[in-house]
Amino acid sequence: EVQLQASGGGLVQAGESLRLSCTASGRGFKLHEHVIGWFRQAPGKEREGVSCIDPMDGSTIYADSVKGRFTVSSDNAKNTVTLQMSGLKPEDSAMYYCATVFSLPCSLKRENFDYWGQGTQVTVSS
């Protein structure tokens, strides 16, 4: 069983930055054998993919809405993935979730991920 712990959310003003972290654990878990995705869900909206990283080679993908503002990175030794969010906008406000799946390519499709963290709230005021 894999456990994911997301943290770092908070209340910020538009234009400011936040750093979210996702720490994975589980018996025998190795970060480089999994891809880690970040998703977000605002009230009344579908959960959408934001970013994904393959810690094996560091390759990343981003949703168009966050390209150039968000950066995802991994620390394989610590089984931790970080989402650095800059230039935040009110429309970035949502509950942010990290998710993982074993040995599949990166994706922004929620159905491709098996394990989910509990979420961390990001609120951006205008």
Side-chain angles (χ1 to χ4, degrees), residues 1-4 22 24-25 29 34-37 39 47 97-102 110 112-118:
E1 185 76 13
V2 176
Q3 293 86 40
L4 298 173
C22 176
S25 62
F29 180 89
H34 298 72
V35 296
I36 305 290
F39 295 78
R47 189 171 298 188
Y97 300 88
C98 58
T100 190
V101 63
F102 175 77
R110 58 183 295 186
N112 288 358
F113 290 81
D114 291 332
Y115 299 97
W116 293 79
Q118 85 291 355

Side-chain angles (χ1 to χ4, degrees), residues 35-54:
V35 296
I36 305 290
W38 283 98
F39 295 78
R40 66 186 182 188
Q41 188 168 19
K45 294 189 176 181
E46 294 283 323
R47 189 171 298 188
E48 63 173 351
V50 173
S51 181
C52 182
I53 184 167
D54 184 342

Side-chain angles (χ1 to χ4, degrees), residues 18-40:
L18 271 178
R19 180 181 295 178
L20 305 184
S21 293
C22 176
T23 300
S25 62
R27 187 174 180 180
F29 180 89
K30 297 180 177 63
L31 191 64
H32 68 269
E33 295 178 341
H34 298 72
V35 296
I36 305 290
W38 283 98
F39 295 78
R40 66 186 182 188

Side-chain angles (χ1 to χ4, degrees), residues 4-118:
L4 298 173
Q5 180 73 39
S7 61
L11 171 63
V12 297
Q13 293 188 334
E16 293 184 340
S17 300
L18 271 178
R19 180 181 295 178
L20 305 184
S21 293
C22 176
T23 300
S25 62
R27 187 174 180 180
F29 180 89
K30 297 180 177 63
L31 191 64
H32 68 269
E33 295 178 341
H34 298 72
V35 296
I36 305 290
W38 283 98
F39 295 78
R40 66 186 182 188
Q41 188 168 19
K45 294 189 176 181
E46 294 283 323
R47 189 171 298 188
E48 63 173 351
V50 173
S51 181
C52 182
I53 184 167
D54 184 342
M56 174 67 81
D57 60 9
S59 59
T60 59
I61 58 174
Y62 296 94
D64 288 344
S65 58
V66 306
K67 279 181 183 176
R69 299 188 299 122
F70 290 12
T71 302
V72 64
S73 60
S74 69
D75 183 334
N76 292 6
K78 296 181 179 179
N79 280 350
T80 297
V81 169
T82 298
L83 183 68
Q84 178 67 46
M85 307 185 295
S86 303
L88 284 162
K89 306 174 181 180
E91 51 264 42
D92 293 319
S93 296
M95 186 70 76
Y96 281 70
Y97 300 88
C98 58
T100 190
V101 63
F102 175 77
S103 194
L104 282 181
C106 248
S107 166
L108 297 181
K109 297 181 179 181
R110 58 183 295 186
E111 60 267 26
N112 288 358
F113 290 81
D114 291 332
Y115 299 97
W116 293 79
Q118 85 291 355

